Amino acid sequence: MAASSSVVPVAVSAAVVSALSSSGDFSNLREIKKQLLLIAGLTRERGLLHSSKWSAELAFSLPALPLSELQPPPPITEEDAQDMDAYTLAKAYFDVKEYDRAAHFLHGCNSKKAYFLYMYSRYLSGEKKKDDETVDSLGPLEKGQVKNEALRELRVELSKKHQARELDGFGLYLYGVVLRKLDLVKEAIDVFVEATHVLPLHWGAWLELCNLITDKEMLKFLSLPDTWMKEFFLAHIYTELQLIEEALQKYQNLIDVGFSKSSYIVSQIAVAYHNIRDIDKALSIFNELRKQDPYRIENMDTFSNLLYVRSMKSELSYLAHNLCEIDKYRVETCCVIGNYYSLRSQHEKAALYFQRALKLNPRYLGAWTLMGHEYMEMKNTSAAIQAYRHAIEVNKRDYRAWYGLGQTYEILKMPFYCLYYYRRAHQLRPNDSRMLVALGECYEKLNQLVEAKKCYWRAYAVGDVEKMALVKLAKLHEQLTESEQAAQCYIKYIQDIYSCGEIVEHLEESTAFRYLAQYYFKCKLWDEASACAQKCCAFNDTREEGKALLRQILQLRNQGETPSTEIPAPFFLPASLSANNTPTRRVSPLNLSSVTP
C-alpha cells in the first residue's frame, strides 16, 4: 500500500510540473489560474493557511474561469478513504489549535495527507509550547535555552522517510522547516530546493528558502526549477537582499504579464519603495492599496512607519483606530498603535504595545526592532541592546537592528563596538548614506581621519538623505587646515539645500555661510565675502559675526583695499559644482577592513 499512498500528491505534482514546463513564460494565464486554485485547495487541506491565502489572492487577481474549465478535485485513493474519518476529526481539532489532540487521532494513518497533518500537528504543538515559555522573556534567546522538544524526533522520522523517497512536496517542506529550526542550514536549503522541484506551486517552500539566502552569490549557486513561480521568488528575495532596482523590475514584469490586480504585488512594490526611502511613492501606493483592500492588515505596520517618519499624526491615528476595529489582536495592529504612541512621545505606552505584539508572535521582526528604538528613546540602553539582538536572531539581514546596536554602543562611548555594527549595517545597505555617515563619525572618534573622509564623500556620492555628509566632510577638512577643500564642500552643501526645492530648516546652513564668508574674506574676495556675510545676518547664531564682517569689508573698501587675484579660491556657486552634477550612482560597500574591533 505504500506505493499507492503516493499516487495522488505525486500525480498532482507531476501534472503541475508538466504544465509549468509549457507555460513558464506566463503565456497561458488560464492554466496558471487553474494551478493556483488547485494548490490553494491542497495547502488548505494540510493546514498551510498562509500559503493557501497567498495562492487564493493571486488567483483572484486573474480573470475568472468558465465552468467548463474548472478542475474537479483530485481523485481519492483507497488509503485516503481509509483515513477519511480520522483525518476529518483531526483537521477539526487542528483548526481550533488542539494540536496534540489532532496528532493523537492521526497516529497510524498511512495516506500522505493524513501523515503530513500528523507530523505538522506535532511540530506546531512543540512550537506553541516553546512560545509559551519564551513569551515573557526579553533577554537574548540563547541557543538551547528554550527549544521545541519535538524537533529531534521529527527529524529522525522524516529523515527515514526522505531516504526511502517517501516524502511528497509537502513532506519535504516540513522536513526542511525542522532542519532550519535545528540550525542545519545547508541541509535545509538542499531539502527546500528539492521541495520546489517536486511541488513548485507551494509558496511556503519558496518563502522558507528565501529566509536562508544571505546574499546574491548564494542565490546563483541554487539549482531552482524553471517555473513561473521562480519569478515571484526572485522578486521577493531581491527585496529582502535590498536589491530594490532588480526587485521593482521583476514586479513590473509580473504586472505587465497580467498580475496588475494582485494586492500582494502592489504591497511588495510599496515595501520596496519604503526600503529605499522613497517615502512619497511608498505612501501613494499604500493609500491606493487601502482603497483596493480596505480590511487588509498585512504590511500596515510598514505603512505606519512611513506615516511616523512624515509625522502624519492624524493619518496614523486613523490607521490605528481602523485596524483596532478590524482586529486588535494582530501583531501589525499592535505595531501601528505602538508607532502612534511613539510619535506622541509616549514611549512607555509604545513599548507596551510592541511587547504585546511579541506576546502574539515572539518571532515578529518589526516589533523587536521598534521596541529597541523605544528603549533608546527612554535611555534604557541595555534593554535596547537585548531587543536589537533578538531582531538579529530572527533575521540577520535586518540592517535596522545592526544600525540600532551601533547607536546604542555609540551612546555608551564604545566606538570599536559601534564601528563593527555600523559596518554590518553598511554591508546590508551599501547605498544608504546614514550608515556611511555613522561610519565616518566612528572613524573620526578613532582618529582614523582618512577613512572618515572616505565615508563622508561616499555618503554624498550615493545621495545624502540627511544632507549632513558634506558638512561633516567640510569640518574634517577644517580640522586638517585644508581650507580650500572645506570651502568646496560648503559650496556644494549650500547648492544642494537651495536646489532641492524644499523649505526645510538646515541647522548647519549658518555654519556654512559663516565659514565661506571668512574664507572669502581671507582671500580678499570682497563681493563673495559680502554675499555670504549678508546671508549670515539671517540666522540668530551668526548674525553678529555677519554684521561685524560686513563692517570690516566696508572699512577695507573705503581704505581702497583691492581684491586679490593671486590667491586661488573657489568661485561662489560655480557651474561645475551644480546640483545637477551631484553623483548618485550605486556603489559597492567600502573596504573598511583596516579597523576591526
Side-chain angles (χ1 to χ4, degrees), residues 1-14 75-77 79-80 112:
M1 295 299 290
S4 64
S5 68
S6 62
V7 170
V8 173
V10 172
V12 168
S13 300
I76 297 174
T77 65
E79 283 189 343
D80 284 328
K112 293 280 184 183

Side-chain angles (χ1 to χ4, degrees), residues 182-252:
L182 290 168
D183 290 325
L184 301 168
V185 175
K186 186 178 181 300
E187 295 90 331
I189 289 173
D190 292 341
V191 171
F192 284 130
V193 169
E194 189 181 345
T196 60
H197 279 277
V198 174
L199 189 61
L201 286 174
H202 181 208
W203 178 241
W206 292 101
L207 213 51
E208 286 289 344
L209 188 58
C210 191
N211 293 332
L212 297 176
I213 295 169
T214 54
D215 54 52
K216 198 173 182 179
E217 287 302 310
M218 197 173 174
L219 186 61
K220 287 178 185 174
F221 291 104
L222 294 182
S223 174
L224 299 170
D226 187 21
T227 76
W228 59 265
M229 282 287 285
K230 183 180 174 183
E231 295 302 303
F232 282 91
F233 165 75
L234 289 174
H236 189 93
I237 189 64
Y238 287 156
T239 307
E240 290 290 308
L241 294 175
Q242 305 297 329
L243 302 167
I244 305 301
E245 285 180 24
E246 292 93 327
L248 288 171
Q249 186 58 56
K250 287 283 181 189
Y251 284 126
Q252 189 56 52

